[in-house]
Amino acid sequence: MTPTIPETMRAAVLRDVADGMKVETIRTPRPRTGEVLVKVSACGMCHSDLHVISGAIAFPTPCVLGHEVAGEVVEIGSHNEHSGLAVGDRVAGGFLMPCGQCESCAAGRDDLCEPFFSLNRLKGRLYDDTTRLFDLDGNPIWMYSMGGLAEYCVIPSTSVAKLPGGVDPVAGAILGCAAMTAYGAVRRGADLRYGETVAVVATGGVGSNVIQIAKAFGARRIVAIDVADDKLAAAVELGATDTVNSAKVNAREAVMELTGGRGVDVAFEVLGRPQTWLTALDVLRDGGRMVPIGLGAGVQKAEVEINRTVRRSQSIIGSYGARTRRDLPEVVRMAAAGVIDYRHIVSRRYGLDEVAAGYQQLHDGQITGRAVVDMSL
């Protein structure tokens, strides 16, 4: 039975940075070629959204944020004959939405999809150069990824993966960014090998998943570095072998002591701040790889000691998301098998009407792990 799709829906709309997000009634979007319409069960709350909310990263307004969702497919656009998707499927949506046709996508580099960056990330549009969101008067509202902080969202079918029956449809929202980004960093960025040592600088939603995935890939030692003891305690439960509170001790000295004076093979930087970049580089061994994941607020720069990097053959390998079409299904399988404990990473659930307060708490560092907006609340 085809579900009834209402003409309007509720969404958290950002019209002005000074006013923040407010819940409005807008038109329900409809999918076009190569897209699906998803009734959202939950949407994760990510630090990347904070940069747009604060105006630190330029993005057109009015817009709807939210880029990691779970929900049910309720309508399928044309040219989806080979997608394997059907109305009624439970899915997770990945934030990095490959067009599937550009040179990078053809080479399997979904993470470098040119239309995603030039159309979606700069203009808030999908790949016919238009948005799917409009207010009640027909005025456009721009989309950050799929615009998941709403009751319904349109997602390119290249960016959804089916959820098995046992996957929580609310907590499972974080698979499309927090978990997929971590997987991309460990699998693609670091190319982590069994028995290597790892440091994870900043252990929030993405960092927590880096810890779990590094453990699954066979890391021998995983050092969690943060400034909050509660986050470090949670990191131990997820697989960290050691913790360092960098607000209390010198992180470099502590990690060197833990690793016999060598440093770690791979250091993941997950916050996007100059200070955490420096920490990640400081704990790296000769020949090691530093993998930055976190996005900075606006245009930020981090210092790199040139001679040390050159003489010690250290690598800095940026990692943005993952290769969605290949990696998101793997992340879902890891979650379904219990390898990624996504349920316990989700520490708070907010209703859509509470979204502004939730992001304020995220900004204030009051959330351990990940928070989600639960559309049932």
Side-chain angles (χ1 to χ4, degrees):
M1 179 178 175
T2 303
T4 301
I5 300 169
E7 293 185 1
T8 63
M9 67 173 186
R10 299 170 72 241
V13 180
L14 178 69
R15 292 191 174 274
D16 189 287
V17 169
D19 293 334
M21 289 184 294
K22 296 182 180 179
V23 177
E24 300 180 12
T25 297
I26 65 175
R27 296 182 181 182
T28 302
R30 304 305 285 264
R32 298 181 186 174
T33 300
E35 300 167 354
V36 296
L37 178 66
V38 172
K39 183 178 182 180
V40 178
S41 55
C43 180
M45 302 170 68
C46 180
H47 272 91
S48 300
D49 296 326
L50 286 177
H51 297 325
V52 177
I53 293 168
S54 69
I57 289 181
F59 195 77
T61 56
C63 64
V64 175
L65 303 174
H67 57 268
E68 53 178 18
V69 302
E72 179 185 350
V73 175
V74 293
E75 187 177 9
I76 295 180
S78 62
H79 293 90
N80 271 303
E81 292 84 2
H82 305 294
S83 68
L85 297 169
V87 170
D89 285 343
R90 292 281 183 178
V91 296
F95 83 96
L96 205 165
M97 307 183 305
C99 73
Q101 300 180 41
C102 70
E103 182 177 351
S104 294
C105 285
R109 291 301 304 269
D110 293 3
D111 55 323
L112 299 177
C113 174
E114 193 279 331
F116 171 75
F117 289 100
S118 64
L119 290 175
N120 186 264
R121 274 297 175 267
L122 289 181
K123 299 180 179 180
R125 304 173 185 179
L126 292 183
Y127 305 139
D128 61 353
D129 203 17
T130 63
T131 182
R132 300 293 175 269
L133 298 178
F134 298 90
D135 66 20
L136 298 181
D137 294 324
N139 300 305
I141 298 173
W142 311 112
M143 306 164 62
Y144 192 78
S145 286
M146 70 286 290
L149 288 171
E151 293 176 319
Y152 292 85
C153 68
V154 166
I155 313 177
S157 55
T158 55
S159 189
V160 295
K162 292 183 184 180
L163 292 178
V167 175
D168 186 323
V170 174
I174 73 165
L175 299 179
C177 177
M180 188 178 76
T181 297
Y183 182 93
V186 176
R187 170 67 181 85
R188 307 291 179 185
D191 190 18
L192 187 68
R193 306 302 174 89
Y194 186 88
E196 289 190 310
T197 55
V198 164
V200 181
V201 184
T203 59
V206 175
S208 297
N209 281 290
V210 170
I211 290 169
Q212 296 190 86
I213 294 169
K215 178 182 177 182
F217 275 56
R220 172 167 51 91
R221 175 163 240 150
I222 303 171
V223 184
I225 303 174
D226 208 294
V227 296
D229 287 332
D230 58 339
K231 292 182 180 180
L232 292 172
V236 172
E237 294 181 6
L238 295 171
T241 57
D242 307 276
T243 62
V244 173
N245 187 321
S246 56
K248 298 178 180 179
V249 300
N250 183 290
R252 175 177 170 79
E253 293 177 359
V255 172
M256 290 299 165
E257 183 177 350
L258 289 168
T259 57
R262 291 182 295 275
V264 295
D265 296 302
V266 183
F268 296 95
E269 190 285 323
V270 198
L271 197 55
R273 295 181 180 176
Q275 305 95 312
T276 45
W277 261 68
L278 180 60
T279 297
L281 289 168
D282 276 349
V283 302
L284 200 60
R285 71 176 299 166
D286 294 353
R289 291 105 68 201
M290 196 276 264
V291 181
I293 307 168
L295 289 178
V299 179
Q300 293 196 59
K301 296 181 179 180
E303 292 186 356
V304 176
E305 187 179 335
I306 295 173
N307 287 357
R308 177 183 170 193
T309 304
V310 173
R311 287 171 173 166
R312 299 305 179 185
S313 298
Q314 294 175 329
S315 302
I316 300 173
I317 309 162
S319 180
Y320 184 71
R323 302 181 189 182
T324 307
R325 289 172 292 175
R326 294 179 63 184
D327 295 344
L328 182 56
E330 290 301 320
V331 168
V332 169
R333 279 192 279 272
M334 292 175 78
V339 177
I340 297 176
D341 184 5
Y342 64 97
R343 287 184 174 88
H344 288 98
I345 289 177
V346 175
S347 60
R348 296 199 188 184
R349 304 185 183 201
Y350 299 89
L352 185 59
D353 289 318
E354 302 171 300
V355 66
Y359 273 104
Q360 185 61 52
Q361 291 177 338
L362 179 64
H363 174 272
D364 294 341
Q366 297 176 13
I367 295 173
T368 299
R370 199 67 141 193
V372 299
V373 174
D374 182 342
M375 296 300 169
S376 70
L377 297 179

